[in-house]
């Protein structure tokens, strides 16, 4: 299998600056002031990656509405797609149904991963009395006996679920995961747990995460910080 992880970042921003550094093989937390090029850096990194070997999750403000005819927000539409899309995948229910004709050991692995996924989500949602369940081909959100839709979740609940789903659906394959400012709409306690959760869902991924929030790296990930000011140099066009 081809090596997927990035051994060296070396990209230009706006044809004015060069960003160059040797990334960590697991987690890279990219910080810098507004306008330093963090989001652009992720976009430039993505251009160097082959299709199918990475995922890019934009900030909640930059999600693209899938169907403008629908009243649901871009976040809700994105979440619903990664839960329910049975035509092309990847989606949670597509993954669930993939085990129907699979060997016994594959079925057991899928069940184990789905159960673990639900356990993690439910541990986050417990304070609001919500829990998710997967029964056959149904995805259920239960709030103290009342069935909800994804649209009934708060923006923070939708976002944490979307982030987890995107990484979970990589099925633990070696991948590059680009995430832009995931702290938006997330409770502080969830920000502290986020990287632990994502790396548990896919320990074989290489993460590049931009953030303004110290809470994202406050739970022991401070040694994974990449400061934009330290890795950016101005391009001398006279050379």
């Amino acid at each position: 299998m081809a090596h997927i992880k990035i051994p060296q970042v070396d990209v230009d921003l706006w044809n004015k600056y060069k960003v160059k550094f040797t990334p960590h093989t697991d987690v890279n937390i990219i910080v810098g002031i507004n306008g330093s090029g963090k989001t652009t850096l992720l976009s430039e990194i993505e251009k160097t990656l082959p299709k199918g070997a990475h995922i890019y999750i934009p900030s909640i403000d930059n999600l693209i509405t899938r169907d403008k005819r629908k009243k649901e927000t871009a976040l809700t539409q994105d979440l619903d797609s990664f839960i329910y899309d049975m035509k092309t995948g990847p989606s949670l229910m597509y993954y669930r149904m993939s085990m129907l004709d699979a060997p016994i050991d594959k079925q057991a692995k899928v069940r184990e991963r789905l159960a673990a996924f639900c356990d993690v989500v439910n541990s986050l949602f417990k304070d609001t009395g919500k829990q998710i369940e997967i029964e056959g081909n149904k995805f259920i959100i239960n709030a103290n006996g009342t069935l909800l839709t994804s649209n009934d979740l708060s923006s923070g609940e939708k976002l944490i679920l979307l982030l987890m789903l995107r990484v979970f659906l990589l099925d633990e394959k070696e991948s590059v995961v680009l995430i832009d400012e995931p702290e938006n709409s997330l409770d502080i306690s969830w920000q502290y747990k986020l990287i632990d959760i994502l790396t548990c869902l896919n320990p074989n991924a290489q993460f590049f995460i931009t953030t303004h929030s110290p809470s994202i790296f406050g739970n022991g990930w401070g040694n994974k910080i990449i400061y934009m000011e330290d890795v950016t140099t101005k391009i001398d066009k006279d050379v």
Side-chain angles (χ1 to χ4, degrees), residues 99 103-113:
M99 69 183 233
I104 297 298
D105 59 339
K106 173 66 174 178
Q107 292 184 34
K109 180 65 174 177
V110 171
R111 288 194 185 94
E112 179 184 345
R113 293 192 73 236

Side-chain angles (χ1 to χ4, degrees), residues 71-201:
K71 63 180 181 180
E72 289 83 8
T73 64
L75 176 58
T76 301
Q77 290 188 31
D78 224 31
L79 178 58
D80 282 347
S81 177
F82 285 104
I83 293 175
Y84 300 111
D85 183 5
M86 291 292 293
K87 293 182 179 179
T88 59
S91 74
L92 188 64
M93 303 317 299
Y94 187 91
Y95 178 75
R96 163 67 179 80
M97 298 304 287
S98 70
M99 69 183 233
L100 292 182
D101 298 321
I104 297 298
D105 59 339
K106 173 66 174 178
Q107 292 184 34
K109 180 65 174 177
V110 171
R111 288 194 185 94
E112 179 184 345
R113 293 192 73 236
L114 287 171
F117 178 81
C118 290
D119 286 345
V120 175
V121 174
N122 291 337
S123 71
L124 296 174
F125 285 9
K126 65 180 180 180
D127 289 341
T128 57
K130 301 183 183 76
Q131 66 175 15
I132 66 168
E133 305 169 33
I134 299 172
E135 294 184 0
N137 62 350
K138 294 182 179 179
F139 178 81
I140 299 169
I141 305 172
N142 191 321
N144 298 317
T146 300
L147 297 183
L148 306 177
T149 68
S150 59
N151 200 41
D152 296 316
L153 299 175
S154 70
S155 59
E157 289 169 334
K158 292 174 188 175
L159 180 59
I160 193 74
L161 190 52
L162 176 62
L163 291 167
M164 292 173 62
L165 269 174
R166 295 294 309 273
V167 175
F168 173 82
L169 291 171
L170 292 170
D171 202 16
E172 300 182 13
K173 294 182 175 68
E174 184 175 322
S175 312
V176 175
V177 178
L178 310 167
I179 306 177
D180 192 22
E181 298 185 358
E183 67 269 17
N184 294 344
S185 293
L186 290 189
D187 181 88
I188 292 292
S189 65
W190 291 0
Q191 293 182 34
Y192 275 106
K193 298 174 183 177
L194 182 63
I195 295 181
D196 286 337
I197 291 172
L198 298 183
T199 54
C200 184
L201 289 171

Side-chain angles (χ1 to χ4, degrees), residues 26-54:
D26 52 358
V27 175
N28 299 273
I29 303 167
I30 301 167
V31 301
I33 63 172
N34 286 331
S36 60
K38 299 185 299 299
T39 299
T40 304
L41 173 60
L42 292 189
S43 298
E44 292 301 320
I45 291 175
E46 185 182 25
K47 292 176 184 177
T48 70
L49 298 170
K51 291 184 177 180
H54 74 281

